């Protein structure tokens, strides 16, 4: 595949994710962290337009002057006055307009990529690919949130599975020896700036589970009163549980004495043997305490990962999201990509069933605030 | 027009209001007070289904069991768990489904109304008409809010005017003599329960303006520093101004030194001679103080109203929304219609350019919280 | 009593109210509506200093330049920066300093009042008396709140009663004939601006109870599920009940199956035959609905008041707090006294056991927001 | 010094810190993070009573049953009802009562410590010492907050300095070689559980400043527009700056063009050569970015600390507060001491001028949320 073909293939996948949607599903934003699907489609397009076409494609005509703030920042001025435009309040541009915007930019990009590009531009294009792939995962989880919080519980796709059945096999803990290990990306393909600067860390001996916590495991925690016993929780986790009346993972409901959960296939009975998902870091930590174990650090995870299957759930680690030694931000707007989020967030490792193919690496550092759980998060225990 | 024809004519008008919309415009809810257009279309339909067809039409099959809570209350339980379903977060049922719901109920209603109905049912049907007409006014003002807070400022309709040009003519104050007057509805057509019990009130002599405050009048107030001088404001009005940085009526922006405002025809220069609109009670009161005058009470307004033109703006009065002597709630759910809102709201009298024809009466009591201004509100001064 | 003696007598009473306090009790502000006792003592002093001594007493030296903002407004600037100084966060000036401030101002006032004052000054002095008397009622209710929300439930005074036993006697409703009545103050002594402009109102025939609702009456409402049935409540009252988990009047606790309440004498069993107190307007309204009756308007109350005993509880009326015909604010800072609060508040009539002697009038218009209940409020029913 | 003497000496120091206070200063709580001084005095007493006297002193009579919840948790029940008792709303127990409580417990402790205690009890007593010393630092910083946010800016003590003048000497960066280092406490005296499990870490070569950032340094940042340029800030730091209008360190005011700051000696001109203090982590990070440097990790700090003077300011590190390898909570209530706070907080190293003598160690791990700055925090740069 040449670069233009690669471009089109990635772009097409975003639209495929949206195929089952009705127009109305593209528009809503039920909570601040979930963006309307049409915003994702527009924002990823705006990225290519802004950082590549406007800068490097001679004679490129911007599609619509106002899209810069519709698909970029939250604030803009009309005259002297500031209007807050929350994404979920914007009915325009409509879905058709957004698809036309995509077509317009796609044509220009294909034309642009039909010529040789230099290394710096190539890097930006590949960053755009990875940026769009990140939003593809968010697209699917945001769609799940939108449909799964609708009282009609509409089906997204009758055959879309949310499990890889990796949890089978031996459950015996793996032991990793004490010593100095190398952490971080050192290949020659794309990676994000936060993975760079491969460096040494010293690890004590530790044990780690080759399998993820299952729904059945977690039901045992619930039934043992795990959500009611503050001893298992961080102080802030305990506040979160009580302020929000949390009694189960997201999407779970107890119906006539049975646990059901909303899935992309609609409301289904909870499958006991499948890998647990949609838990916050607070819940992952509480579960591990209750079990007398702990979560691995991201370094332990990266070292041990070649010894187990991963890729089904984003796995909460004990590590805070911090810069690697020697980390430095890229200059300009691209430099805002990662560094400015390096406080108050936890690292997740692995990948999930929503991660686009070829967008997972053993060194990939995903990160979210500890209370969030609308991603396909999961738990792996260590000791 | 027989009752079924009347029914269809009213129902059709709701849909005509929505004709200029794109599907996406039906879905969003930018602030709590503004409902998505598709919710209005569904809720008014649910009213006829719930209070007439389900009760009085033999063999009527409910269209969809879950619509009861989608189009009625905000809360519902799935199993033991409560889900809050804010109107603006619900992409489903979609716009087409809502129109199909309307068709289904309309057919059943027309069939039902083709037979004679008794007096009690007749009253409920007419209440349904008036209920839908109230929502027609909200539909238009909510649509204006949705489009007028979009940074693309889309045009609703190129020819829809928002003014009746009633403000011409003499501006001399009218004087009404002291004495006992009768207030409240005493005709034989429909009115709301809050207008009933015609009763006597004693009024001192007062003067009232035959014309509304114009945009030019209000710009003088702005330029005289009206929004910056706490002496003109209620304590709560002053808090409202400062907390929300209010410096002009809703929809007004100062662009290159000129006042422009969003209208149903798009962003336009403010027309100086037209009747001011989109001000809160707090602003109406402050303006009247600055002018050394006051707002009329709703009783003064009702007595004087035959001596001036009205119907262009909902006119804020000084009166709080309270029960008339002898007011009593209707039994059952219908009884929730008015009485439970009789605290912390101000009465507005008149009607506006958004009021459906034949839905305005000199005794009509509209009411809103004092900070709200997305309706076509205006100011008439008294002394 | 000459004016100076009257001054000292009123001033002394404020200090008597505080006699049972420990220094610490003077300082705290548990909720925004409750002010620290030392603030009341300072603020009433600041009133005489600012509006009388600084203006009319030649050569008067202000006690402390900074007290102007400590005892007046909430904001002040140090250089270019604004500091918010909530009353309950200020440990200084301390209680002794505040008493010294009072002595200093009292000496100056007595000196000033030993000479003849003209009519305008006399009016201001008398306004100062009434201002201090209003704060005396707040002092006592604020002290009750401070002590009654302390988990040690300290006794204020072992013999301070909170009831006048006016509720005995016939319970038969009084009937008042339809007609034109005069409302408002027309004597020659002091009254507030909001009572002025005696004017005519037209009243329909009505009935009113000669006695207040008792604790026993209200327990019947509670036991009948009154707090759980939305039919009795305003929509905003229902929200208030549910948001704040209201299940009884303020200060009531159910202990071992019995109702106890905090009183100025400490925690006591609820006395069933005494007049109910510490209910909000929302509760008063809900109770009246449950009873199939209603609250009187302030006009009905004023007309009927000579036919029953009052003065034990501030009685919620159905009336909103609005200006009388011809009401106008006094010029200058004194004009802020009443008018700027005339929105979103309900009128209470009568007086309470906390009202200083000679500070109650049949035309007195007290006013509070509908959710407040730390005053000695009560319920009288009408029909 | 024997154990009882040590006990009394530490206990006396808490009271010495409070000597300059007026009674009122003991009571207020201007923000949630700042506790009233009398609460600190009571809470540290409650610690000895609850964990030592009640458990190990035969026949000990608890001083007051209700103090358990006044000086421990925030919630308690009276009958079936929960009362929230915020510390700053409680005027009782008063200051004298708290000092009597201290005397009572002190007598019992001295009697108890006059006999030999076993190792487990000894450890608890020493934990109580360290607990009280931690609160001594908070006492002083909370007092500074209370007085420094009072518009009268009262002096705490005319001679109490807030600087150690350690910032002199060479400013050349120190360089530390790459390699494996040992981190954590391994002495035989007291340390907290979060310092335990001395373990190896691998550090890259780094440079670190031997001196702290000064007031003059930081003024240069301010004057260069540091607070106005989002490029230097974390996204959450930028929100914090804008939401709270932060334009300078806490306690700084610009007066007539000069920077003044509140100190324990009152309002003083900012001393340019002294070590900067009262900045948040967000400000420390932004300053380091602006300087083209960074903050050290807590491991870098611990390794380098023997090469520079420290103890004047708590120094923000880049490290998140996380468990050391093998960390485990003590069983029982004591186990709540540290572990439950290990999320969303940053580590500070060193000590400050408010740290009690003999309460600082090179392995000590202090921690606060990134926005807090009422402690004596400071900045040391690394590279």
């Amino acid at each position: 595949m040449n670069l233009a073909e690669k471009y089109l293939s990635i772009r097409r996948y975003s639209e495929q994710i949206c195929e089952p949607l009705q127009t109305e599903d593209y528009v809503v934003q039920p909570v601040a962290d979930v963006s309307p699907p049409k915003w994702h489609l527009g924002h990823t397009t705006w990225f290519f337009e802004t950082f590549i076409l406007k800068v490097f494609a001679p004679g490129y005509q911007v599609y619509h002057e106002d899209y810069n703030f519709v698909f970029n920042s939250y604030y803009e001025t009309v005259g002297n006055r500031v209007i807050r435009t929350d994404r979920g309040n914007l009915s325009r541009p409509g879905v058709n307009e957004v698809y036309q915007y995509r077509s317009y930019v796609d044509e220009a990009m294909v034309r642009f990529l039909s010529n040789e590009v230099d290394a710096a531009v190539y890097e930006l294009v590949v960053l755009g690919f990875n940026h769009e792939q990140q939003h593809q995962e968010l697209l699917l989880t945001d769609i799940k949130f939108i449909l799964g919080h609708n009282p009609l519980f509409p089906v997204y796709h009758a055959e879309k599975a949310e499990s890889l059945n990796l949890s089978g096999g031996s459950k015996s803990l793996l032991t990793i020896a004490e010593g100095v290990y190398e952490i971080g990306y050192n290949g020659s393909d794309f990676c994000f700036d936060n993975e760079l600067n491969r460096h040494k860390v010293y690890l004590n001996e530790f044990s780690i589970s080759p399998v993820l916590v299952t729904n059945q495991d977690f039901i045992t925690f619930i039934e043992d009163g795990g959500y009611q016993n503050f001893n298992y929780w961080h102080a802030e986790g305990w506040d979160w549980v009580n302020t929000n009346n949390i009694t189960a993972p997201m999407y779970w409901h107890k119906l006539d004495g049975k646990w059901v959960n909303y899935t992309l296939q609609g409301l289904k009975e909870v499958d006991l043997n499948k890998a647990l998902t949609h838990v916050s870091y607070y819940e992952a930590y509480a579960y591990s305490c209750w079990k007398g174990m702990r979560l691995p650090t991201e370094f332990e995870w990266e070292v041990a990962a070649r010894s187990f299957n991963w890729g089904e759930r984003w796995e909460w680690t004990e590590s805070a999201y911090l810069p690697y030694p020697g980390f430095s931000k890229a200059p300009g707007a691209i430099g805002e990509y990662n560094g400015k989020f390096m406080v108050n967030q936890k690292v997740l490792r692995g990948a999930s069933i929503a991660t686009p193919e070829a967008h997972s690496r053993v060194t990939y550092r995903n990160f979210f605030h500890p209370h969030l759980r609308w991603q396909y998060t999961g738990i792996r225990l260590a000791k």
Side-chain angles (χ1 to χ4, degrees), chain A:
Chain A
M1 249 191 325
N2 67 27
L3 203 59
E5 285 165 350
K6 185 95 192 280
Y7 174 87
L8 284 175
S9 136
I10 287 171
R11 295 283 288 171
R12 231 178 277 128
Y13 185 55
S14 300
E15 300 176 7
Q16 278 167 21
I17 293 171
C18 296
E19 257 164 30
L21 301 187
Q22 293 187 6
T23 300
E24 295 86 343
D25 302 326
Y26 284 91
V27 181
V28 298
Q29 177 173 35
V31 293
D33 293 302
V34 166
S35 295
K38 79 183 173 80
W39 184 86
H40 285 296
L41 295 179
H43 170 71
T44 48
T45 304
W46 167 89
F47 188 99
F48 286 111
E49 182 178 59
T50 303
F51 295 111
I52 293 167
L53 294 174
K54 282 175 72 171
V55 188
F56 302 107
Y60 176 75
Q61 294 289 314
V62 161
Y63 182 75
H64 193 305
E65 281 303 336
D66 291 342
Y67 281 18
N68 186 47
F69 63 89
V70 172
F71 292 124
N72 176 16
S73 65
Y74 283 12
Y75 294 92
E76 194 48 37
T77 54
V78 177
N80 301 325
R81 309 202 51 234
V82 174
I83 298 181
R84 178 169 193 112
T85 53
D86 288 321
R87 293 171 189 169
N89 298 339
L90 298 187
S91 59
R92 313 286 181 93
V95 175
N96 286 341
E97 287 100 321
V98 171
Y99 276 110
Q100 278 162 26
Y101 177 40
R102 287 184 73 89
S103 297
Y104 177 88
V105 166
D106 285 352
E107 274 171 45
M109 279 296 295
V110 167
R111 216 177 307 124
F112 176 73
L113 294 178
S114 68
N115 299 308
E116 198 70 15
V117 299
D118 67 23
V121 173
Y122 179 85
E123 253 183 54
L124 275 174
V125 172
V126 173
L127 180 64
F129 292 174
N130 282 273
H131 175 254
E132 182 128 4
Q133 287 173 316
Q134 288 186 309
H135 279 277
Q136 287 166 356
E137 179 142 13
L138 290 170
L139 248 181
L140 193 65
T141 52
D142 290 1
I143 290 168
K144 182 173 180 182
F145 192 100
I146 289 165
L147 301 180
H149 286 80
N150 187 297
L152 305 180
F153 295 121
V155 170
Y156 168 73
H157 193 293
E159 276 153 38
K160 178 73 186 177
E162 295 177 77
S163 195
L164 296 178
N165 298 315
L166 299 182
S167 295
S170 161
K171 298 193 168 192
S172 311
L173 297 188
L174 308 166
T175 297
I176 309 289
E178 184 173 12
V180 172
Y181 292 90
E182 299 230 328
I183 294 296
Y185 189 74
N186 72 342
S188 54
D189 288 340
F190 175 84
C191 77
F192 284 108
D193 55 2
N194 62 12
E195 303 166 57
L196 282 176
N197 295 322
R198 189 164 172 88
H199 63 284
K200 298 198 176 93
V201 301
Y202 193 95
L203 299 183
N204 282 7
E205 185 185 277
F206 66 99
S207 306
I208 192 165
S209 170
V211 293
L212 296 174
V213 168
T214 65
N215 290 325
Q216 175 62 74
D217 294 336
F218 202 77
I219 286 173
T220 313
F221 168 76
I222 295 175
E223 292 177 348
D224 194 42
Y227 280 105
Q228 284 80 50
N229 187 334
F230 72 89
N231 280 305
Y232 305 135
W233 299 82
H234 286 103
E236 295 184 16
W238 187 240
D239 282 350
W240 173 80
V241 161
N242 288 291
T243 304
N244 300 285
N245 290 309
I246 306 290
T247 57
M250 184 176 272
Y251 298 119
W252 287 37
H253 306 282
K254 198 147 202 180
L255 216 54
D256 302 329
K258 270 186 194 143
W259 285 112
V260 297
N261 64 345
Y262 177 77
T263 72
L264 295 172
Q265 301 178 24
L267 209 57
K268 300 273 182 191
E269 216 173 303
V270 168
D271 191 335
L272 299 179
N273 299 312
K274 294 291 164 61
L276 171 74
T277 188
H278 296 305
V279 288
S280 68
Y281 165 76
Y282 293 130
E283 289 162 298
Y285 172 85
Y287 178 84
S288 76
C289 280
W290 169 79
K291 201 72 187 175
M293 298 184 70
R294 62 175 178 86
L295 303 176
T297 67
E298 65 167 320
F299 310 116
E300 290 171 337
W301 191 96
E302 187 170 324
V303 167
R306 58 212 78 218
S307 311
F308 53 71
N309 289 323
W310 54 270
E312 191 172 4
R313 299 288 177 253
W314 283 106
E315 307 179 14
W316 286 111
T317 74
E318 185 51 43
S319 298
Y321 182 46
L322 295 174
Y324 281 174
F327 171 78
S328 64
K329 302 200 281 191
I334 297 292
E336 285 192 53
Y337 212 89
N338 273 308
K340 72 176 178 182
F341 300 112
M342 288 179 173
V343 68
N344 289 336
Q345 311 218 33
K346 300 299 280 188
V347 173
L348 301 100
R349 288 300 195 99
S352 87
I353 59 99
T355 311
E357 253 182 285
H359 190 69
S360 69
R361 286 180 296 283
V362 78
T363 58
Y364 196 106
R365 307 175 77 201
N366 203 350
F367 53 91
F368 281 100
H369 285 101
H371 67 289
L372 294 174
R373 53 186 198 159
W374 92 109
Q375 298 301 300
Y376 287 95
T377 52
I379 309 176
R380 182 183 304 276
L381 295 176
K383 210 169 191 166

